Amino acid sequence: MGLDMYLYAERFVSDYNEEGKELSNKLYKATGRRITSIRTEVGYWRKANAIHKWFVDNCQDGRDECQSTFVSDEKLEELLETVKQVLADPKLATELLPTTDGFFFGGTEYDSWYIQDLEETKNILEKVLNDRSLDNWDFYYQSSW
């Protein structure tokens, strides 16, 4: 048990263009079902409660119910910039990316584990935001505990 956090990329599959039609046909042949969207995991964290709190506060209107929530590219870029600021000056952590406690959410200290979570977040977000194959995909955040 514990806080598991996921960033997904999702794309609508449409028969109204050649790329979508080709993909839709391949998926139908493989599954026998008409697939209307594709969802893939592009990021995963475990007990990175400061990052979770950021998503709850900035994308979920403060509502933390393990719901799947749309996250714009701009919000991902905002989180990345915030993470970079804190990595450059860890004294900003309590102001910009405070930890939060919860049921098996992990530690709330600003220690090496906290910094490791930020480094991992930076790597995930840079990879996602620079991956041109994810252009025109929608992003969603979801947590579970």
Side-chain angles (χ1 to χ4, degrees):
M1 289 195 85
L3 176 62
D4 292 298
M5 306 152 54
Y6 307 90
L7 183 64
Y8 296 105
E10 187 171 0
R11 183 168 180 203
F12 178 69
V13 178
S14 170
D15 287 339
Y16 296 109
N17 62 51
E18 280 306 310
E19 180 188 20
K21 191 174 200 173
E22 182 181 336
L23 183 56
S24 182
N25 287 336
K26 285 180 182 178
L27 292 169
Y28 184 79
K29 286 178 185 175
T31 65
R33 294 187 171 86
R34 184 168 180 272
I35 306 296
T36 58
S37 66
I38 301 168
R39 183 177 239 197
T40 185
E41 183 181 301
V42 294
Y44 172 78
W45 300 260
R46 179 138 174 88
K47 298 184 180 183
N49 62 66
I51 301 303
H52 173 69
K53 179 175 174 32
W54 189 93
F55 278 112
V56 171
D57 292 346
N58 292 278
C59 302
Q60 296 179 322
D61 298 321
R63 202 174 103 236
D64 185 7
E65 299 173 354
C66 296
Q67 73 273 22
S68 180
T69 303
F70 173 76
V71 181
S72 68
D73 291 8
E74 292 78 20
K75 284 292 184 187
L76 293 177
E77 290 168 1
E78 182 182 326
L79 175 56
L80 177 59
E81 288 309 309
T82 302
V83 166
K84 286 179 178 179
Q85 283 182 299
V86 175
L87 286 171
D89 184 359
K91 293 177 193 159
L92 297 172
T94 58
E95 177 188 342
L96 299 180
L97 280 173
T99 60
T100 188
D101 58 358
F103 190 62
F104 295 114
F105 272 30
T108 56
E109 300 297 317
Y110 298 93
D111 55 12
S112 62
W113 293 102
Y114 175 87
I115 296 298
Q116 184 177 331
D117 288 341
L118 298 190
E119 291 287 356
E120 183 177 0
T121 301
K122 179 179 176 280
N123 292 337
I124 288 169
L125 295 178
E126 285 179 341
K127 184 176 179 185
V128 166
L129 290 167
N130 292 317
D131 186 344
R132 297 293 57 121
S133 72
L134 293 175
D135 286 351
N136 302 314
W137 288 65
D138 293 324
F139 297 101
Y140 293 86
Y141 172 75
Q142 187 165 13
S143 62
S144 173
W145 61 87

